[in-house]
Amino acid sequence: MRAWTTLARPLGGHFYFRFLTYIYNWSPKQPRVERFLILLIKRLFGHFWRERAVQDDMPAIRPDTPLAVIGDIHGRADLLGAMLPLVPKDYQIVCVGDYIDRGEHSADVLKMLKARDDILCLLGNHEDMLLRFLDDPEHHGERWLRYGGLQTLQSFGVSLDHGQGTTKRLLDCRDALRDAMGTDMIDWIRDLPLQWMSGNVAVVHAAADPTRSLARQEPSVLCWGHPEFLTQPRQDGVWIAYGHTIVDSAHEAQGRIAVDTGAYATGRLSAALIAPDHIDFIRT
């Protein structure tokens, strides 16, 4: 009974994890019934214990300055306008990318962000598709339009002429969009970085290869994702805040901080407030 008395003793907010930790360190000398119960609990809660154990191996989160990492906006200028006043004034705002497409007001989002020197913006895969369309509409236009580019065109007052052949239609559309966006806006997008780091916190759009340092990441991985990002923990102690992958609610798990809550469809734009030893979340 001594073991179960120990388990029943209040252990504050960490009681549950300490209980499972005890379960995972049971002795063969324990009574047979108790060993059976322990094995049953290990089978039921093993996944939770392994996840928490990995997370506890992460060092304390320590950005050099408090951060507000805002998730994918996708043309929801209304949600961006509602989010910005919620951010504490001493927090550095970092946007993870995907400012355009799918939502109806991509042009307004770009103008809002470009006008704010205090907001650090990263390149997302939708901005990458836009740039590819501007550079080579014949090869990249159809894909971009299929994944939300039509809404971006409309937000800049550009329409497709479906009476033309495919190549001419895309070239004319590209030329009209270039004129509507202007050189300053296009150059601003081209210059957006793929990652940003503060202390032991890195912010990327989609993912980071867990086997490589942040300095050796492939641009395509940062912008489009990596198959092992969500399954293999990093070994360098760097926390990764990211968007791109839609989650039900912003959260942190095993050194990864997810902030994309599908704003264009859900009406929920989320942000992670990251300070030394603390992570909190806000949403519209």
Side-chain angles (χ1 to χ4, degrees), residues 87-92:
V87 177
K89 294 187 181 300
D90 58 338
Y91 276 58
Q92 169 64 60

Side-chain angles (χ1 to χ4, degrees), residues 43-165:
R43 178 66 61 87
L44 291 174
F45 297 102
H47 173 72
F48 170 86
W49 187 89
R50 288 192 298 272
E51 179 175 301
R52 180 64 184 266
V54 170
Q55 186 162 319
D56 280 358
D57 287 339
M58 288 293 296
I61 193 164
R62 295 285 174 82
D64 293 331
T65 185
L67 307 176
V69 181
I70 298 178
D72 303 34
I73 301 166
H74 277 303
R76 292 299 300 266
D78 56 336
L79 300 182
L80 177 60
M83 170 62 74
L84 294 177
L86 302 179
V87 177
K89 294 187 181 300
D90 58 338
Y91 276 58
Q92 169 64 60
I93 300 174
V94 185
C95 295
V96 300
D98 281 7
Y99 315 116
I100 62 171
D101 299 347
R102 294 177 172 158
E104 302 298 326
H105 300 284
S106 296
D108 291 336
V109 171
L110 290 175
K111 292 171 184 175
M112 289 172 65
L113 294 175
K114 184 176 180 298
R116 291 282 299 265
D117 293 335
D118 58 326
I119 297 179
L120 195 151
C121 297
L122 303 183
L123 184 79
N125 66 297
H126 281 260
E127 288 77 48
D128 183 54
M129 286 192 287
L130 166 65
L131 294 175
R132 291 172 187 267
F133 168 73
L134 292 172
D135 292 338
D136 189 353
E138 186 176 359
H139 289 95
H140 301 289
E142 294 292 343
R143 183 186 187 196
W144 178 57
L145 296 176
R146 188 166 60 249
Y147 286 101
L150 282 173
Q151 288 88 348
T152 297
L153 290 178
Q154 292 169 1
S155 74
F156 279 100
V158 176
S159 60
L160 285 169
D161 184 353
H162 294 284
Q164 297 176 328

Side-chain angles (χ1 to χ4, degrees), residues 245-260:
T245 301
I246 296 176
V247 294
D248 290 336
S249 59
H251 64 272
E252 55 93 4
Q254 301 181 34
R256 295 179 287 266
I257 306 169
V259 293
D260 180 9

Side-chain angles (χ1 to χ4, degrees), residues 3-19:
W4 295 109
T5 301
T6 301
L7 290 176
R9 186 179 299 126
L11 293 173
H14 297 291
F15 167 76
Y16 188 49
F17 177 59
R18 293 183 184 179
F19 168 68

Side-chain angles (χ1 to χ4, degrees), residues 21 52 68 107 120 151 154 170 173 181 206 212 221:
T21 301
R52 180 64 184 266
L120 195 151
Q151 288 88 348
Q154 292 169 1
L170 291 173
C173 180
M181 293 183 67
R212 291 190 173 198
V221 167

Side-chain angles (χ1 to χ4, degrees), residues 34-48:
E34 189 169 331
R35 292 203 309 269
F36 171 78
L37 292 174
I38 286 172
L39 289 172
L40 178 62
I41 292 173
K42 285 178 70 175
R43 178 66 61 87
L44 291 174
F45 297 102
H47 173 72
F48 170 86

